[in-house]
């Protein structure tokens, strides 16, 4: 059986703005990223998180102080995700999982539809929110 790699989990606040997106980590002050497309912003946030984690002392307690402790509910133009980070902090191996509250199937579909409209993976500039 293959040995599982240690992973750490961080809560990210994702906001769709008039000019693109911002991502900040709830338990890590001053670590954030912004970009025009969501994919670009995720990439920048992974790099910023990797840089921050690489500068921490080598003990587990220093690292886990910044890990997942809770997730607020999604709101208008704001949604939360969980960023999974490998033990070597390699940003190319980080992954994001979107959060949707457990509820009735119709409400889950409604939340997923709202989330999918907030996340745009193409390279086109965002249209005005009035469109």
């Amino acid at each position: 059986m293959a040995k599982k790699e240690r992973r750490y989990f961080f809560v990210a606040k994702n906001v769709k703005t008039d000019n693109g997106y911002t991502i900040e980590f709830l338990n890590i002050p001053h670590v954030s990223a912004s970009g025009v497309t969501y994919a670009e912003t995720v990439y920048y946030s992974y790099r910023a998180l990797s840089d921050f984690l690489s500068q921490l002392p080598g003990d587990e307690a220093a690292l886990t102080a910044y890990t997942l402790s809770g997730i607020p509910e999604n709101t208008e133009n704001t949604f939360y995700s969980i960023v999974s980070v490998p033990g070597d902090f390699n940003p190319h191996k980080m992954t994001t999982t979107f959060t949707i509250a457990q509820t009735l199937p119709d409400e889950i579909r409604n939340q997923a539809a709202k989330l999918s409209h907030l996340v745009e993976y193409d390279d086109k500039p965002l249209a005005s929110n009035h469109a």
Side-chain angles (χ1 to χ4, degrees):
M1 183 178 279
K3 182 180 175 187
K4 282 192 138 187
E5 180 180 22
R6 173 73 163 110
R7 295 193 76 83
Y8 301 94
F9 299 91
F10 301 88
V11 176
K13 178 180 180 182
N14 305 263
V15 179
K16 183 174 182 180
T17 67
D18 290 339
N19 300 317
Y21 295 88
T22 61
I23 296 175
E24 58 188 53
F25 295 94
L26 295 186
N27 298 348
I28 307 174
H30 313 296
V31 175
S32 63
S34 60
V36 175
T37 66
Y38 185 69
E40 169 186 55
T41 309
V42 168
Y43 173 77
Y44 294 149
S45 73
Y46 287 175
R47 297 295 305 204
L49 182 57
S50 177
D51 289 346
F52 174 81
L53 296 174
S54 296
Q55 295 175 27
L56 289 177
D59 65 274
E60 188 80 6
L63 179 60
T64 57
Y66 294 103
T67 60
L68 181 66
S69 64
I71 303 172
E73 288 190 33
N74 294 341
T75 59
E76 189 71 26
N77 289 335
T78 300
F79 56 98
Y80 295 88
S81 58
I82 300 170
V83 177
S84 175
V85 177
D88 65 359
F89 312 140
N90 183 338
H92 301 287
K93 294 180 183 175
M94 293 182 187
T95 59
T96 294
T97 302
F98 297 119
T99 62
I100 296 178
Q102 180 179 348
T103 186
L104 297 173
D106 285 342
E107 182 56 27
I108 290 172
R109 283 189 281 278
N110 183 36
Q111 290 179 41
K114 285 181 182 177
L115 182 59
S116 70
H117 290 316
L118 287 175
V119 177
E120 296 179 21
Y121 276 96
D122 60 16
D123 293 326
K124 295 180 287 189
L126 292 174
S128 167
N129 285 341
H130 305 292

